[in-house]
Protein backbone atom coordinates (compact mmCIF):
# COMPACT_ATOMS: atom_id res chain seq x y z
CA UNK A 1 0.00 0.00 0.00
CA UNK A 2 1.45 3.39 -0.94
CA UNK A 3 2.14 5.86 1.87
CA UNK A 4 0.09 8.58 0.17
CA UNK A 5 -2.58 8.97 -2.46
CA UNK A 6 -1.88 10.29 -5.94
CA UNK A 7 -5.47 11.56 -6.40
CA UNK A 8 -6.64 12.76 -2.98
CA UNK A 9 -5.54 15.71 -0.88
CA UNK A 10 -6.24 16.53 2.74
CA UNK A 11 -6.99 20.19 3.39
CA UNK A 12 -6.56 21.28 7.00
CA UNK A 13 -7.03 24.46 9.03
CA UNK A 14 -10.43 25.22 7.51
CA UNK A 15 -12.64 27.85 9.06
CA UNK A 16 -15.89 26.58 10.55
CA UNK A 17 -17.76 28.64 7.93
CA UNK A 18 -15.99 27.00 4.99
CA UNK A 19 -18.36 24.55 3.30
CA UNK A 20 -17.64 21.56 1.09
CA UNK A 21 -18.92 23.44 -1.94
CA UNK A 22 -16.52 26.35 -1.17
CA UNK A 23 -13.64 23.88 -1.19
CA UNK A 24 -14.86 22.25 -4.40
CA UNK A 25 -15.19 25.63 -6.13
CA UNK A 26 -11.62 26.53 -5.19
CA UNK A 27 -10.27 23.15 -6.29
CA UNK A 28 -12.11 22.86 -9.60
CA UNK A 29 -9.72 25.37 -11.20
CA UNK A 30 -7.13 22.60 -11.26
CA UNK A 31 -9.30 19.82 -12.69
CA UNK A 32 -12.43 17.78 -12.15
CA UNK A 33 -13.19 17.15 -8.50
CA UNK A 34 -14.86 13.80 -7.88
CA UNK A 35 -15.58 14.21 -4.17
CA UNK A 36 -15.16 16.55 -1.23
CA UNK A 37 -15.93 15.47 2.30
CA UNK A 38 -15.62 17.95 5.15
CA UNK A 39 -15.30 17.22 8.87
CA UNK A 40 -16.43 20.31 10.77
CA UNK A 41 -15.03 19.33 14.16
CA UNK A 42 -11.52 18.60 12.93
CA UNK A 43 -11.68 21.47 10.40
CA UNK A 44 -10.34 19.38 7.55
CA UNK A 45 -11.54 17.87 4.28
CA UNK A 46 -10.59 15.21 1.77
CA UNK A 47 -10.65 16.28 -1.87
CA UNK A 48 -10.52 13.61 -4.58
CA UNK A 49 -9.60 14.57 -8.14
CA UNK A 50 -10.26 12.47 -11.23
CA UNK A 51 -6.65 12.76 -12.42
CA UNK A 52 -3.36 12.75 -10.55
CA UNK A 53 -2.14 15.71 -12.63
CA UNK A 54 -5.07 17.81 -11.34
CA UNK A 55 -4.29 16.80 -7.76
CA UNK A 56 -0.63 17.71 -8.31
CA UNK A 57 -1.57 21.19 -9.62
CA UNK A 58 -3.92 21.74 -6.67
CA UNK A 59 -1.26 20.57 -4.22
CA UNK A 60 1.24 23.04 -5.69
CA UNK A 61 -1.15 26.02 -5.69
CA UNK A 62 -3.56 25.63 -2.76
CA UNK A 63 -1.21 25.32 0.21
CA UNK A 64 -1.30 28.59 2.13
CA UNK A 65 -4.29 30.20 0.43
CA UNK A 66 -6.69 32.03 2.74
CA UNK A 67 -10.41 31.48 2.95
CA UNK A 68 -12.61 32.97 5.66
CA UNK A 69 -9.51 34.20 7.48
CA UNK A 70 -7.72 30.83 7.70
CA UNK A 71 -4.66 29.72 5.72
CA UNK A 72 -5.11 26.25 4.31
CA UNK A 73 -2.61 23.49 4.90
CA UNK A 74 -2.69 21.03 1.99
CA UNK A 75 -0.99 17.64 1.85
CA UNK A 76 -1.41 14.28 0.18
CA UNK A 77 -3.98 12.05 1.89
CA UNK A 78 -2.69 8.96 3.66
CA UNK A 79 -4.43 5.71 4.57
CA UNK A 80 -4.96 7.16 8.07
CA UNK A 81 -6.87 10.11 6.53
CA UNK A 82 -9.03 7.72 4.50
CA UNK A 83 -9.80 5.74 7.68
CA UNK A 84 -10.76 8.91 9.56
CA UNK A 85 -13.35 9.77 6.89
CA UNK A 86 -14.50 6.17 6.45
CA UNK A 87 -13.29 6.01 2.84
CA UNK A 88 -11.95 2.84 1.27
CA UNK A 89 -8.27 3.20 0.30
CA UNK A 90 -7.90 3.16 -3.48
CA UNK A 91 -5.82 5.06 -5.92
CA UNK A 92 -8.97 6.82 -7.17
CA UNK A 93 -8.91 8.51 -10.50
CA UNK A 94 -11.20 7.96 -13.43
CA UNK A 95 -11.46 4.22 -12.78
CA UNK A 96 -12.61 4.13 -9.16
CA UNK A 97 -13.70 6.29 -6.26
CA UNK A 98 -12.87 5.66 -2.58
CA UNK A 99 -16.30 6.73 -1.39
CA UNK A 100 -18.04 4.06 0.65
Amino acid sequence: MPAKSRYTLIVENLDSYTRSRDIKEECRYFGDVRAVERDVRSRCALVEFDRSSAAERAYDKLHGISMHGKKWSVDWATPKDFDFFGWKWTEGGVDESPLR
Side-chain angles (χ1 to χ4, degrees):
M1 178 183 311
K4 65 178 187 171
S5 175
R6 295 178 302 140
Y7 296 89
T8 306
L9 301 175
I10 182 141
V11 181
E12 297 176 296
N13 198 37
L14 298 170
D15 186 81
S16 59
Y17 292 106
T18 304
R19 298 169 295 187
S20 293
R21 73 174 181 228
D22 297 330
I23 299 164
K24 186 173 185 174
E25 283 296 310
E26 199 64 40
C27 292
R28 72 178 179 83
Y29 293 108
F30 307 103
D32 290 333
V33 176
R34 296 193 74 182
V36 175
E37 188 166 343
R38 169 99 161 80
D39 183 76
V40 177
R41 279 191 276 170
S42 65
R43 296 187 180 204
C44 66
L46 283 185
V47 180
E48 181 198 15
F49 291 86
D50 70 337
R51 302 205 181 283
S52 61
S53 58
E56 185 78 41
R57 284 190 301 276
Y59 174 80
D60 290 339
K61 301 289 183 181
L62 289 177
H63 184 75
I65 70 157
S66 289
M67 183 178 283
H68 301 122
K70 295 281 192 174
K71 284 191 177 185
W72 289 7
S73 174
V74 178
D75 205 350
W76 295 102
T78 65
K80 183 179 174 183
D81 300 320
F82 276 64
D83 286 344
F84 178 80
F85 281 90
W87 285 18
K88 178 184 169 191
W89 175 263
T90 68
E91 269 306 283
V94 294
D95 297 327
E96 52 188 316
S97 176
L99 292 178
R100 299 167 224 43

